[in-house]
Amino acid sequence: MKTQTTNYELEKNIEVISQLDDFVGKTVDTVLVDPDDCWQPTDFLPDMSQPDALDQVKLLQERCAAIPDTVITSLIGNMITEEALPSYQTYFNLLEGINPEGNLLSPSGWVRWSKAWTAEENRHGDLLNKYLYLSGRADMKKVEQTIHRLIYNGFDPRSEQDPYQAIIYTSFQERATKVSHVNTGKLADKAGDDVLSRICKTIAGDEARHEKAYKSFMSQIFDIDPSGAMIAFETMMRKQIVMPAVLMGDGGSNPSLFNQFSAITQKIGVYTGWDYARIIDHLVKLWEVESKTGLNDVAAKAQEYLSGLASRYMRLADRLKTPDEISLAWLK
């Protein structure tokens, strides 16, 4: 009986997703940027074709030299997360109802979105990877091994192929990455590297556009199917949002690598338990969770749970102890 109910719910969610195809297609055309007009990594890096290229690299290294090891480690972790993009596009196209034809050349709005979104995201890893390579601060062999292992291990946000849960996940995750890049940029600026600061803030600007789009997709779902949206939101929050790079160390010589990275971001304020709580609060308010009416019994219970969730996580964050000792990774 449970399986039948789950299938029915998923079939209904797929139908709603199909109704949004035109809306998503318009978002591709209005929110995302044509490749010829987008910024590219070379806009921020030394031009190696110029006679003074090595002087430019030396200036980059001088600026970067004052950045604390903890910030560099956090930056590397952010970059590794961005570099696992093959997994993200694959994941999105495997969601129920998104690409039923299994055709990446499909003109559907959802398929166009998956390609254009991940194409924009791909520049982030490219830029940070090249910056770190030129900076001389990272052990790039170890970094490359971690990227390799993360893609090798795959990606599981635990959304169960449900497009509703997936869009909640991406709404949350895009905001989380925006926060992380903004805070990294502030620390780079404080250390005197104005170029890295600009890089981080530019990447954060992309994440903000993507976040806005995903939140608008979910707003549409809440309007069409408030009970289904509420249940999916609760389901995703009860499982907790796992970061995309959570499997970066699995099967390797340092299986606790992701936990080390997370401890550093918590300690230096790049991404903290308070940020997690604030994102929940933001989404609950944006989607007007507390004021939704006409919900079925299951959705009404989900609404009650979600209404108090941010406060619960804020109390947990208040009690969370900042790590005294942290292990640095990926550094020379």
Side-chain angles (χ1 to χ4, degrees):
M1 183 68 181
K2 185 177 180 182
T3 302
Q4 291 175 348
T5 303
T6 302
N7 288 342
Y8 170 78
E9 185 76 9
L10 192 56
E11 288 298 319
K12 181 258 299 172
N13 294 359
I14 292 169
E15 174 57 32
V16 172
I17 285 295
S18 69
Q19 294 176 38
L20 295 182
D21 199 75
D22 287 344
F23 179 83
V24 174
K26 288 175 184 174
T27 305
V28 174
D29 298 328
T30 56
V31 173
L32 302 184
V33 185
D34 185 89
D36 287 342
D37 301 319
C38 246
W39 65 263
Q40 298 297 339
T42 48
D43 297 332
F44 300 88
L45 298 167
D47 185 347
M48 302 309 290
S49 69
Q50 296 302 310
D52 67 341
L54 294 182
D55 292 332
Q56 293 180 43
V57 172
K58 185 178 179 182
L59 287 172
L60 184 154
Q61 292 182 342
E62 288 173 355
R63 287 193 307 269
C64 187
I67 298 176
D69 287 345
T70 50
V71 178
I72 292 293
T73 304
S74 175
L75 182 69
I76 293 169
N78 287 347
M79 180 270 284
I80 289 167
T81 303
E82 299 279 5
E83 288 280 57
L85 272 164
S87 297
Y88 308 151
Q89 188 178 118
T90 301
Y91 155 72
F92 202 84
N93 279 279
L94 287 174
L95 293 170
E96 294 288 351
I98 294 295
N99 189 358
E101 301 169 4
N103 177 15
L104 283 176
L105 299 181
S106 168
S108 84
W110 283 112
V111 176
R112 288 179 59 219
W113 170 266
S114 76
K115 294 185 295 183
W117 162 57
T118 52
E120 285 199 357
E121 290 278 354
N122 186 65
R123 300 164 306 142
H124 302 169
D126 281 351
L127 173 53
L128 294 176
N129 195 316
K130 291 184 176 81
Y131 172 88
L132 286 162
Y133 175 78
L134 292 172
S135 76
R137 294 290 303 276
D139 184 332
M140 291 306 294
K141 179 69 176 286
K142 289 183 180 177
V143 169
E144 288 158 357
Q145 288 170 335
T146 306
I147 295 167
H148 190 158
R149 185 160 295 283
L150 179 57
I151 298 173
Y152 179 97
N153 285 338
F155 170 57
D156 180 17
R158 301 185 295 188
S159 59
E160 303 169 29
Q161 289 191 288
D162 178 3
Y164 283 18
Q165 291 185 53
I167 295 168
I168 288 161
Y169 178 88
T170 46
S171 296
F172 191 106
Q173 190 55 49
E174 292 287 354
R175 190 170 183 86
T177 51
K178 178 186 75 175
V179 168
S180 184
H181 286 300
V182 165
N183 288 334
T184 303
K186 288 177 181 177
L187 292 171
D189 201 34
K190 184 178 178 182
D193 191 338
D194 58 323
V195 176
L196 179 57
S197 174
R198 187 159 53 91
I199 286 171
C200 293
K201 290 170 185 174
T202 301
I203 292 172
D206 276 4
E207 307 292 15
R209 286 188 294 109
H210 302 162
E211 173 202 350
K212 183 178 179 181
Y214 278 114
K215 291 188 305 190
S216 74
F217 300 162
M218 202 62 215
S219 292
Q220 293 285 314
I221 293 170
F222 264 104
D223 287 344
I224 298 168
D225 180 18
S227 288
M230 195 74 70
I231 292 167
F233 193 8
E234 181 213 21
T235 301
M236 202 71 237
M237 289 300 101
R238 282 192 183 277
K239 287 182 285 194
Q240 299 186 332
I241 298 291
V242 293
M243 298 296 110
V246 69
L247 297 178
M248 64 165 63
D250 279 27
S253 58
N254 184 2
S256 64
L257 192 53
F258 179 79
N259 291 334
Q260 291 174 12
F261 164 55
S262 297
I264 289 169
T265 62
Q266 173 76 27
K267 188 173 183 67
I268 65 177
V270 163
Y271 184 75
T272 68
W274 291 288
D275 292 316
Y276 190 96
R278 282 191 286 263
I279 294 172
I280 294 172
D281 183 60
H282 170 76
L283 294 177
V284 166
K285 288 176 179 173
L286 176 78
W287 293 327
E288 301 176 338
V289 164
E290 295 183 40
S291 61
K292 292 295 182 191
T293 58
L295 303 173
N296 63 35
D297 291 345
V298 177
K301 290 180 181 177
Q303 180 184 44
E304 183 179 356
Y305 170 79
L306 290 166
S307 296
L309 190 60
S311 297
R312 190 178 311 166
Y313 271 102
M314 195 58 77
R315 290 192 295 272
L316 287 172
D318 288 339
R319 295 197 297 268
L320 187 65
K321 189 176 181 233
T322 302
D324 292 325
E325 296 183 11
I326 50 175
S327 299
L328 300 175
W330 309 302
L331 299 185
K332 278 289 188 185

